[in-house]
Amino acid sequence: MMNKNSRRRFLRQTVTAATGLALAPGLVSCGAGNTATASSSVPARAPEKGRKLNVALLGLGSYAKGQIAPSLQFTRHCQLAGIITGSPEKIPEWQAKHDIPDENVYSYDNMDELADNPNIDVVYVITPTATHKEFAVRAAKAGKHVWCEKPMAMTVEDSQAIIDACNENNVRLSIGYRMLHEPNTQDFIALSKEKAFGAFTAATSLAGYAGSDPPTDYWRGQRAMGGGALYDMGVYTVNGLRYGLQMAPVAVVKAMQHRPTEVDVTTEYTLEFPGGLLAEGKTSVVTNYNQLRIEGENGWHEMQPMQPYGGVKGLTSAGTVLGPPIDGKQQTLQMDDDALAIMNNTPVLAPGEMGRDDIAVIRAIIESAETGKRVVL
């Protein structure tokens, strides 16, 4: 049973927060932001030397339970210290399993009281995409560093609002692009940076899994909540092309979305990069494929598979193998890197600007698919 203090917190919850997440506003078409290389430059609030950062998970769904919480058991620079949830029935299990004290348990309704809790340093937002803006902004206003799961938000405007809130409240922001912290992917990126096989000539980015059309009573089957293949898996393909080519696209040449219901189950698109370079992207929740390939004048390098939780490895036309897969959780590396950035006041690998600019591309892909036109970024 829930203890008295935890129960008392939830008596202050609103009916909306207690029964689920509020519906997100409708989709808004928007243009591109700056390139993905920009970085927030606010000073960090570092804990005293030698102390781990205390992380509160906001949203206790399958990703938090199956990936983030287990990964935090192995981190060296941060630790799970609190939870924020709209599901009070989950509290006893989380408290018992992770030794979370009553004073570090919050609801969505009373999370603003985090401002009075010096024992929480970071809020990791792991809720449906359409809710990221509200929760990330509230966490920043409470004076907590923000780790926001990808995709960052529904629109460029919402993404920028998160960036602005973190800057205004002097806290750090990082987006949960775990692949940027994965060693084999970092080796792949190094080959791209040095153009190991000459000038780029083409690129392909594929990410999908053999599932089924998500039901409409589940948030992943609801367009306004950020459901569908493009927001779910497509963000990996867009971000992969960015780090694979080390530049930002200038336009969506064409796009196609297959929507049996209100969300896409497959999306295909062509991006144009500076110099006229074309890159093909494809993402799906009903078909399995997973590859990021960069073609050069003198050869190629690729990751295949490019983004599962385990088994990421690569290959080059010269026969070099990028691997074997790492032993351990990618998210452990991600969170330790982000914690060290806060502690040492150094740049994060995935700043808010990167997340915002990927959302600009996603929005442009949707616009191109709906209008049949080329969309300039």
Side-chain angles (χ1 to χ4, degrees):
M1 294 181 65
M2 191 186 308
N3 59 55
K4 292 181 179 179
N5 287 339
S6 296
R7 187 183 297 110
R8 191 175 298 117
R9 285 189 181 279
F10 275 85
L11 288 176
R12 296 197 297 268
Q13 231 179 334
T14 63
V15 173
T16 299
T19 56
L21 296 166
L23 290 177
L27 296 178
V28 181
S29 180
C30 48
N34 298 326
T35 64
T37 57
S39 177
S40 300
S41 58
V42 298
R45 292 180 183 175
E48 52 269 24
K49 191 173 182 180
R51 180 173 76 80
K52 289 185 176 183
L53 286 177
N54 287 329
V55 179
L57 301 186
L58 193 159
L60 305 181
S62 59
Y63 189 66
K65 184 176 182 179
Q67 297 296 329
I68 298 302
S71 297
L72 279 164
Q73 295 178 22
F74 299 97
T75 48
R76 295 189 299 163
H77 306 290
C78 54
Q79 60 191 358
L80 177 56
I83 53 175
I84 308 162
T85 180
S87 302
E89 70 278 4
K90 295 180 180 180
I91 291 175
E93 177 186 355
W94 278 78
Q95 283 194 287
K97 185 172 184 178
H98 300 288
D99 195 26
I100 297 172
D102 294 338
E103 58 268 24
N104 290 351
V105 175
Y106 294 85
S107 73
Y108 295 152
D109 189 51
N110 67 19
M111 66 169 285
D112 305 298
E113 296 175 15
L114 281 162
D116 302 319
N117 189 344
N119 295 318
I120 297 296
D121 302 298
V122 178
V123 171
Y124 194 155
V125 179
I126 318 174
T127 51
T129 305
T131 67
H132 287 182
K133 175 197 170 184
E134 176 193 349
F135 290 138
V137 168
R138 289 174 66 187
K141 288 182 177 180
K144 306 304 175 183
H145 302 291
V146 177
W147 296 346
C148 182
E149 197 43 56
K150 55 160 194 350
M152 183 178 180
M154 290 298 296
T155 67
V156 171
E157 289 87 351
D158 284 355
S159 302
Q160 187 62 50
I162 296 173
I163 295 171
D164 291 344
C166 289
N167 285 338
E168 290 165 4
N169 291 280
N170 197 32
V171 297
R172 300 297 297 275
L173 170 64
S174 184
I175 310 304
Y177 285 108
R178 57 187 167 85
M179 303 318 304
L180 295 180
H181 305 263
E182 197 274 328
N184 299 327
T185 305
Q186 291 180 338
D187 290 343
F188 175 90
I189 293 172
L191 291 173
S192 291
K193 287 182 176 179
E194 65 186 48
K195 292 190 176 179
F197 298 99
F200 302 135
T201 58
T204 303
S205 190
L206 314 172
Y209 59 88
S212 58
D213 189 5
T216 55
D217 60 352
Y218 177 46
W219 77 265
R220 290 192 181 279
Q222 299 170 11
R223 191 177 184 191
M225 292 299 289
L230 185 57
Y231 273 98
D232 182 7
M233 298 292 284
V235 70
Y236 289 107
T237 66
V238 171
N239 193 253
L241 288 172
R242 283 180 176 278
Y243 65 68
L245 293 170
Q246 288 294 295
M247 53 184 169
V250 297
V252 177
V253 177
K254 60 181 179 179
M256 180 280 294
Q257 290 193 303
H258 178 49
R259 297 180 187 157
T261 55
E262 65 177 270
V263 300
D264 62 305
V265 295
T266 300
T267 293
E268 300 179 57
Y269 62 86
T270 302
L271 299 185
E272 180 183 336
F273 285 80
L277 174 67
L278 297 181
E280 303 297 326
K282 188 174 181 179
T283 184
S284 180
V285 293
V286 295
T287 306
N288 186 48
Y289 34 67
N290 215 278
Q291 179 189 30
L292 176 60
R293 185 181 178 102
I294 306 299
E295 305 274 356
E297 291 178 323
N298 305 313
W300 50 264
H301 60 296
E302 72 172 16
M303 299 296 295
Q304 189 173 7
M306 59 96 76
Q307 60 69 241
Y309 296 140
V312 173
K313 57 185 179 180
L315 185 68
T316 75
S317 56
T320 303
V321 176
L322 307 178
I326 64 169
D327 180 17
K329 293 278 191 182
Q330 299 160 0
Q331 294 89 344
T332 297
L333 300 176
Q334 168 197 326
M335 290 185 285
D336 264 344
D337 284 346
D338 288 340
L340 284 172
I342 292 172
M343 293 174 176
N344 299 326
N345 193 21
T346 54
V348 297
L349 289 181
E353 291 82 357
M354 178 184 290
R356 177 199 64 198
D357 293 350
D358 283 350
I359 294 303
V361 178
I362 286 175
R363 297 302 310 164
I365 290 171
I366 294 171
E367 182 180 346
S368 179
E370 292 181 341
T371 65
K373 298 179 181 179
R374 181 177 186 269
V375 178
V376 177
L377 290 161

